[in-house]
Amino acid sequence: MNPALHQFIVDYGLWAVLGGTFLEGESVVVFAGFLAHQHLLHLPEVMLCAFAGSFAADQLLFFLGRRYREHRLVRRIREKPAFARALALVDRYPHGFILSLRFLYGLRTVGPVALGMSRVPPLRFLVLNAVAAAIWAACFSLLGYAFGQTIESLLGRLHGVETKLAVAAAIGAAIWLAYHLIARRRR
């Protein structure tokens, strides 16, 4: 086991989860859940960082949609084909849309902006966004943790940080690919 790499993951892994969920999401959290199973990170801390990053990102996008409708970033988001779909879903199922937003492919960025431009009150969004972020963080962290148990039962105890990272990266890539293929098929 490479002690420098191990220490790097211990020192900066949770920051990577926080930043990764702020920007991307599922594969980062699954990867972190796997690393928690390998005892490089702590599962409750992974869940907390995944929650915080996801929650903060959606709150920021909601605020941008609410306050800066004419900003060029918001205009670019509004021009995406998924934006009209998001607005239609917000009008039809505002609470359900907020709770399921993180699980709907293609609406992760446009959804909070559409909600910000809608009539959904900010406090209601804040509360439902917190609930949804907690569920999402727990689900994907536990998914990665469960994959770690499955891989361990198939391959035995993994040794070496490099091996753990390679397996975790392969799992993350497989989940990302499956997620995008299923979403593409639905479209």
Side-chain angles (χ1 to χ4, degrees):
M1 179 184 290
N2 183 338
L5 184 57
H6 181 274
Q7 192 59 45
F8 182 81
I9 293 169
V10 169
D11 290 343
Y12 299 105
L14 294 174
W15 288 107
V17 173
L18 183 67
T21 54
F22 192 87
L23 299 173
E24 203 283 317
E26 292 82 8
S27 56
V28 171
V29 179
V30 170
F31 183 71
F34 175 81
L35 292 176
H37 182 268
Q38 296 301 312
H39 306 290
L40 294 171
L41 300 174
H42 299 285
L43 187 61
E45 293 171 353
V46 167
M47 290 178 180
L48 182 62
C49 287
F51 164 80
S54 177
F55 175 78
D58 284 359
Q59 285 300 133
L60 176 65
L61 290 168
F62 178 86
F63 174 74
L64 287 174
R66 179 68 40 118
R67 182 79 170 98
Y68 298 102
R69 294 173 185 237
E70 297 307 317
H71 188 274
R72 66 183 167 102
L73 172 66
V74 175
R75 280 196 319 259
R76 275 199 329 226
I77 292 171
R78 284 191 343 229
E79 292 168 359
K80 293 183 178 187
F83 189 79
R85 185 171 146 225
L87 275 178
L89 289 170
V90 169
D91 287 341
R92 206 159 176 206
Y93 312 104
H95 300 123
F97 183 72
I98 296 168
L99 292 171
S100 64
L101 173 62
R102 285 170 180 75
F103 299 96
L104 300 173
Y105 178 76
L107 299 177
R108 181 81 164 105
T109 303
V110 299
V113 173
L115 283 157
M117 296 178 78
S118 74
R119 293 183 180 163
V120 172
L123 182 59
R124 184 170 301 151
F125 178 76
L126 179 105
V127 170
L128 291 174
N129 185 36
V131 170
I135 292 168
W136 178 85
C139 286
F140 282 96
S141 298
L142 290 171
L143 183 65
Y145 196 86
F147 270 127
Q149 286 181 314
T150 302
I151 295 296
E152 187 175 297
S153 67
L154 293 174
L155 302 177
R157 185 79 181 141
L158 300 174
H159 299 286
V161 173
E162 295 84 357
T163 305
K164 293 174 183 179
L165 289 175
V167 170
I171 290 169
I175 289 171
W176 179 85
L177 181 62
Y179 182 75
H180 288 286
L181 287 174
I182 290 168
R184 181 185 233 177
R185 191 170 204 193
R186 285 185 184 164
R187 277 188 271 149

